[in-house]
Each structure stands twice: as C-alpha cells, then as structure tokens.
Amino acid sequence: MKNPSPASPHAVLVAGAAGFVGSHLCDRLLERGCRVLALDDLSSGDVRHVEHLRRHPAFRFVRHDITEPLPTEARDCERIFNLACPASPAYYQRHPVATVLSSAVGAWRLLELAQQTGARLLHVSTSEVYGDPQVHPQSEGYWGHVNPIGPRACYDEGKRCAEAMCLAYASERGVAVRLARLFNCYGPRLRPGDGRVVSNFIVQALAGRPLTVYGDGRQTRSFCYVDDTVDGLLRLMDAGFSGPVNLGNPQERTMLDLAERVLRLTGSRSRLVFEPLPADDPTRRCPDITLARQRLGWAPQVAIDDGLSRTIEYFRALSAEAGARIAAQGSVSPSAAYSFSRL
C-alpha cells in the first residue's frame, strides 16, 4: 500500500531525524527523490540511525535543538515534519523540562518558520493525548482522560499544547498544518533501555533475563510496524485535510500476549516477572482508524509476528556488534557483552 511519490519532490525539513521514526522517514523521503534537511540535538536520538545517509547528495544532517532559532537553510524547505520530542518514558520522566520545551517551544519555532515561508507542517503527536482512556477504541473526537500534573504529564500535556498551537496557527494565520496521532510504533532502531515494551521484552529475552511485566499483564496496546507508520505520515502530508488522524494498528493486544510472542519468536526460555503498574499507565489503548481508512486509504499491512521477527533480527545484530566491540577491547567476553549500556 505504498503511497505514490508526489508529482514534484520537495525540499523537506525533518526535526527529530535521528530518532526511531524520524530516521525511517528520512529513508523514505530520499527514496521519493526529496532533499532532506535533518535536524536533531541527539538528546534521545542516535546519529548512527542516519549514518548510512551521510554521503547521500540530497541529505544534510545538522545537530540542532529546535527550541533554539532554526538554521538559515531551513527557510528553503517546502515541507516540515516535526518529530522532535523524546518518546521514551524512561527519558522524558528523567528530563521533564526539556520534554515540555521540545513540544511547546519546538512546535512554535517550526510554526513560525512555516508561517514565514508558506511551508506545510506535519506535527507528529501521540495517542498519549488520550491519557488513560475511558472510551474504547479511541477516535479523534475523544477528548481524553489525562492527569495534567502526573509523572507522564510533561509528555502528554506537551503534545496536547503542541496540537493546540498547530490549530491556532492554522485558524489565525493560515498555516497549512497536518496532525498525526501515533499509537505504539515498533521496529528496527528502537533503542535498548528506552522503556518501551517491545524493545524491553526483546532485549530481555535475547539476554536470557526475565521479562518485566507491569501490573497483571492484561493492559493492552496496539502495535504498528514502523514502515506502516511512515507510510501513514507520508499520506497525511500529501492529503487535503489537516486531521488530527490516528495512525496505529486497531488490533488490541495484552502485554502477556506480546511477551508470549517474543518468547516464541526468540526461542528464549526466560520467565516473566511482575512489577507494580507505573502511575498513570493506561490500562487500554486501541485506535479507531476509520478516518485514516476513509481519507488516506491507509491501514497497517505488516502482521505482528513478521514485524517482531524483523525487530528481533535487528537486536540480534546489535547484540553481536556490541559483543564484538567489547571483546576487541579485551575487557569482557562476548557472552557478557549484552548490556547495551551505551546504546
């Protein structure tokens, strides 16, 4: 279901380009023939995610914090994708101030640029705007059930503020905006230790460590493979409406189901250990993607086992690379090298 390339490739700014989704988006934009200006301050992104693009003639990477004035060359971009906010719970709960600023001030910087240059801006928001929902599945018309002062508020409310700012610039100043709400996305280039359940389970399973399940494991999420997510973002950017639109997989799965699949696909004999559910952790999360189907012709295509298998192979390769690197230093045997502490 790949979206056809636009009639004329664009000069595109990608904020958060070294992140998980951002780096995959850069790949696809370059395949389309676009010129890409990639910005990332590397606070939660990883420059290795875009290292393979460094010599591409249409790709330029600039280390930059979008809460600061934007580089001059950003004014040449006709389209802007804003993914510049940490999505890892482990990171944003350690850095709440930076998280709020990246959402609110970062969105303002990019919206000002779009107003000045006439660029179209797609802001990547999140299902976290729905909080711990009381309506299932969640449609774009649901206002959410969010704790504005809880441990997740820096991310949840930062994203809600950015959405409000986008629509304010659209209504008052005529900026062409698009709003995407991503549900749990997974795939290669997730970072070990980032607190996301797919990467946590895979790393633990491959290392033979117990899989940490929070609560009773019956809370649900919907898992969308990154290729499908990027396809939805490209379709929305090209579409003639602003959204917001949910991009996620409507198949709701429990944490226990996910753990069992990871154990089966890795061949791991790890056991499950249960820990208390973190504060404000949603008990159910599942998108209504009716709008995406109708307006974008979009729906996820990658089956869960296929996507998990590709992700597991990525982490196997990452483990082997880390093991070889540490073994070459002569300090630790490869069998003990599976910590990913520096990744």
Side-chain angles (χ1 to χ4, degrees):
M1 189 190 289
K2 286 193 175 181
N3 197 20
S5 298
S8 58
H10 297 92
V12 182
L13 185 157
V14 179
F20 163 49
V21 178
S23 62
H24 286 277
L25 176 62
C26 289
D27 290 340
R28 288 283 293 277
L29 288 168
L30 291 169
E31 289 174 7
R32 280 181 157 209
C34 296
R35 291 184 291 115
V36 176
L37 173 62
L39 305 183
D40 203 299
D41 68 356
L42 302 180
S43 58
S44 60
D46 190 329
V47 72
R48 287 173 293 183
H49 292 165
V50 293
E51 193 64 37
H52 63 292
L53 302 176
R54 289 288 196 139
R55 295 188 179 182
H56 195 294
F59 180 80
R60 173 166 161 71
F61 178 81
V62 178
R63 184 168 183 172
H64 184 81
D65 179 349
I66 64 162
T67 65
E68 301 295 330
L70 295 167
T72 303
E73 56 262 51
R75 298 185 62 84
D76 297 329
C77 294
E78 304 158 88
R79 294 190 169 184
I80 301 167
F81 287 88
N82 181 22
L83 301 93
C85 180
S88 159
Y91 181 91
Y92 67 64
Q93 291 185 32
R94 289 196 305 268
H95 306 281
V97 173
T99 299
V100 172
L101 292 175
S102 65
S103 284
V105 178
W108 170 70
R109 292 279 188 198
L110 294 172
L111 286 162
E112 283 285 297
L113 174 67
Q115 179 187 346
Q116 294 163 12
T117 64
R120 180 181 296 182
L121 183 147
L122 188 153
H123 176 71
V124 176
S125 189
T126 170
S127 60
E128 293 293 335
V129 301
Y130 300 123
D132 187 4
Q134 298 177 317
V135 172
H136 304 283
Q138 294 84 55
S139 71
E140 293 85 354
Y142 177 54
W143 290 0
H145 179 234
V146 180
N147 180 355
I149 57 172
R152 304 167 72 97
C154 58
Y155 184 66
D156 301 1
E157 295 294 353
K159 287 291 192 178
R160 286 160 69 97
C161 175
E163 283 197 17
M165 195 179 305
C166 286
L167 294 179
Y169 268 78
S171 63
E172 181 181 330
R173 303 185 180 182
V175 175
V177 301
R178 304 288 185 269
L179 290 177
R181 291 175 177 166
L182 304 192
F183 285 66
N184 290 62
C185 181
Y186 72 99
R189 301 180 197 160
L190 279 174
R191 296 188 70 178
D194 72 356
R196 298 191 230 196
V197 66
V198 172
S199 52
N200 282 358
F201 280 174
I202 292 175
V203 168
Q204 290 171 335
L206 291 178
R209 300 197 300 265
L211 273 61
T212 305
V213 178
Y214 294 100
D216 61 8
R218 293 186 176 88
Q219 65 271 32
T220 68
R221 297 292 185 271
S222 64
F223 298 102
C224 190
Y225 191 66
V226 64
D227 288 357
D228 286 331
T229 298
V230 169
D231 182 55
L233 293 175
L234 292 171
R235 286 172 179 267
L236 178 58
M237 177 62 94
D238 292 340
F241 82 114
S242 63
V245 60
N246 292 334
L247 297 177
N249 195 313
Q251 295 184 330
E252 194 173 1
R253 300 185 185 279
T254 67
M255 298 301 96
L256 290 176
D257 174 79
L258 178 66
E260 290 167 0
R261 288 174 184 274
V262 168
L263 292 175
R264 173 170 54 82
L265 292 169
T266 58
S268 174
R269 296 184 178 180
S270 295
R271 60 189 179 89
L272 306 184
V273 295
F274 293 83
E275 300 287 345
L277 195 66
D280 298 332
D281 196 61
T283 55
R284 292 186 69 186
R285 185 66 65 70
C286 182
D288 180 339
I289 63 166
T290 301
L291 187 61
R293 291 182 189 274
Q294 293 176 344
R295 300 298 300 270
L296 305 180
W298 178 89
Q301 300 297 301
V302 179
I304 183 71
D305 281 1
D306 290 341
L308 286 175
S309 295
R310 298 177 202 176
T311 310
I312 288 165
E313 288 311 304
Y314 169 79
F315 278 103
R316 285 192 197 277
L318 207 59
S319 170
E321 178 187 331
R325 185 169 60 249
I326 295 174
Q329 295 171 355
S331 55
V332 184
S333 68
S335 62
Y338 204 112
S339 68
F340 294 131
S341 59
R342 295 186 182 274
L343 297 178

